Amino acid sequence: MKRMLRSIALTAMLFALLPMKTWAAEFLIPVGEVIGLQMGSDTLTVVAYDEILGEAARSAGLKIGDELVKIEETAIHGPEDVRTALREQDAAVEVTVRRNGKLNTLHITPRQTEEGPRLGIYLRQGIAGIGTVTYYDPETGRFGTLGHGVSDAKGNLLNMTQGGAYEATVQSIKKGKSGEPGQLKGTASNSMPFGVLLRNTEQGVFGTTPQGWQGEAVETASYEEIQGGPAVIRSTVSGGVPREYSVEILKIYPETRTDGRNFLLKVTDPALLELTGGIVQGMSGSPILQNGKLIGAVTHVLVSDATTGYGIYIGNMLKAAA
């Protein structure tokens, strides 16, 4: 009996030491459509001075990029907090700002207007822009876009407190060239959001929608299946519908890279090169497919060569979305 127990224990130990396959393929719809993204945050950032009312703020040392933290004893989380803190103030107020990670205290005298006291500055809360949808999961209603995070005015990952996804259209294209990245210029075509943004991560922006996108779901590739050579990206750059364009995978980097640069790719499609010059802003998130499987998304363009850029592995996007 003891010999049998030892045998069972040894067998169990050997089984535990056997390598186990951790990759589980998913079936997702590669989308490639442009959408509008609106992301709110809990910080207000100074983006400009009013030409008439802003001299006092400028003279007091308030700088573009400063984050308003507190006015007198009122914590600032939104525009209404600023109005509340300035109400009936007719003398200099103490303004606390965050600059380069450090708190600074300034004293600014508000300008009196018909609408009440004003600091004479323009503030931004959150960010709006366009991106391309990488995938949609018809079983869960979840989607991913961009393949990289959205940063605040100082280059840090935006602390998104709420966000919405909007239908959008491409209005014009600024063609990319060496030293000057191009851009898809678009606008929201509907004022009502069709989806909710849930997470802003270094590997992409993720949300959910009951509306979704139509298309055939394809299998996601394991990292070992990705090869150097021909592939396609799916993007919407003209005509309002996504289409596939040929690219070539030039180099594959370690899967463990989390900066959105898992492989280097080059646009080879003559039609896309004629339209955009290669990879441009707004194409981030364009799904990349190889051998019929979804392998990742376009993330960055090389400033020195608009035809070349980087892609993130789809598995890293899905890990960030989980």
Side-chain angles (χ1 to χ4, degrees), residues 49 55-64 66 97 99 104 106-108:
Y49 304 104
E55 185 54 38
R58 190 199 304 267
S59 299
L62 192 67
K63 296 184 179 296
I64 304 301
D66 284 351
V97 302
R99 181 184 303 161
N104 292 272
L106 309 172
H107 292 87
I108 305 173

Side-chain angles (χ1 to χ4, degrees), residues 108-129:
I108 305 173
T109 302
R111 291 291 299 271
Q112 300 300 320
T113 71
E114 294 181 357
E115 292 78 27
R118 295 291 184 266
L119 292 179
I121 54 177
Y122 294 99
L123 301 167
R124 181 176 70 190
Q125 184 174 27
I127 291 176

Side-chain angles (χ1 to χ4, degrees), residues 50-89:
D50 185 274
E51 291 184 4
I52 299 175
L53 305 177
E55 185 54 38
R58 190 199 304 267
S59 299
L62 192 67
K63 296 184 179 296
I64 304 301
D66 284 351
E67 295 178 6
L68 294 190
V69 175
K70 188 169 63 172
I71 298 178
E72 294 293 334
E73 298 302 318
T74 302
I76 305 301
H77 300 292
E80 187 58 39
D81 295 329
V82 177
R83 288 189 284 269
T84 299
L86 294 178
R87 192 170 296 146
E88 298 181 1
Q89 294 283 357

